[in-house]
Amino acid sequence: MRKSAKWLLVLTGIAIAGTLAVRHYQADIGLALFQRAVDARVGRDNTASLPDGLHIGLCGTGSPLPNADRAGACTMVMAGKHIYVVDAGEGGARNISLMGIPNGKIDGLFLTHFHSDHMDGLGPMMLLRWTGGSAKAPLAVYGPTGVEAVIAGFNAAYAQDNSYRIAHHGEDIVPPSGAGATAMPFAMDGDSRVVLEKDGLTVTAFKVDHDPVSPAVGYRFDYKGRSVVVSGDTAKSAVLERVAKDADLLLHEALQPKLVTKMTAALDKKGLGNTAKITKDILDYHASPEEAADSARNAGVGQLVFTHIVPPFPSRFFNPAFLGDAPKRFKGEIVVGEDGMLFSLPAGSKTISRQELM
């Protein structure tokens, strides 16, 4: 027998023996690997080492259209040691945890409007924040007039669940006073207004065009010379361009009409007229990537990040098709946002760095 054939037999034998050994000890190996994962992940706090400044985490970049890779609308904003969240789409609270950001440290939530995909994850957001830090006060939820009814509904829906958890874990672990949320409504009499000032952070709400959804707002966060604007859902908006003037980072929703039109045609062809009507209708109250790029250019922002991506697509390979002519209209950096991205804007600097936490 040739030497090469002997070596092949030996290697085959080793492979078979290894496979049998793994099967025999699979439970023990699994327990050991699980222990390593637990030791590495439990109690992580990826915010602890961040420098003073603004830090923007994408905890949900999706839309109501099903997408396995994107949670519903959710953006984390950290200013100094304070953590706020803009919108609470389905899966957002889960992603915050997966990103190594403690839900128990969330100071408050800002809702842009009352479409379901921007608040259907509010229940887990309230729960994980309460249980994660033994909160003694409810989650503060800021929003335009109407947020009171939203919060009352969620509090009523979760009241029974809250009572079970208090009875099971005890009041020291889940203080009754910390369950649920408290509505912090504000009226939009003009185009914009300051809705929060705290420890050097200023949060400004501004009207956007999402008709027939009203009220609908976006938010600007300013902290120690750094600034980020979160558009909320909107068609191209002159108010947004004014409020976003010279911001470091603009986080803007985007819908690519060319791709959505192809979805509509396929739905019509399959006889799914109801869904096709919806995909036709959504074209008129969202901005295209090109329009968002125009707004970024007009406002003079430093960087443009897309979120609330419509339609869903399976990989980064499709980013150019989604962007269309946006890169020709805005010469700054453009990023198609993905769940788990974290953008850091250190105080006293002009830099914007990016990392992926998921």
Side-chain angles (χ1 to χ4, degrees), residues 54-57 59 74-87 96 101 105-110 125 139-140 142 196-199 201 203 221:
L54 278 175
H55 304 276
I56 316 304
C59 39
C74 179
T75 303
M76 185 279 298
V77 179
M78 181 176 177
K81 296 300 180 183
H82 293 293
I83 296 177
Y84 295 93
V85 178
V86 180
D87 288 330
I96 289 173
I101 300 170
K105 294 175 70 172
I106 294 173
D107 290 278
L109 169 69
F110 293 88
M125 190 79 68
L139 174 66
Y142 300 83
L196 178 68
E197 292 182 288
K198 184 173 184 178
D199 296 338
L201 170 67
V203 183
F221 295 79

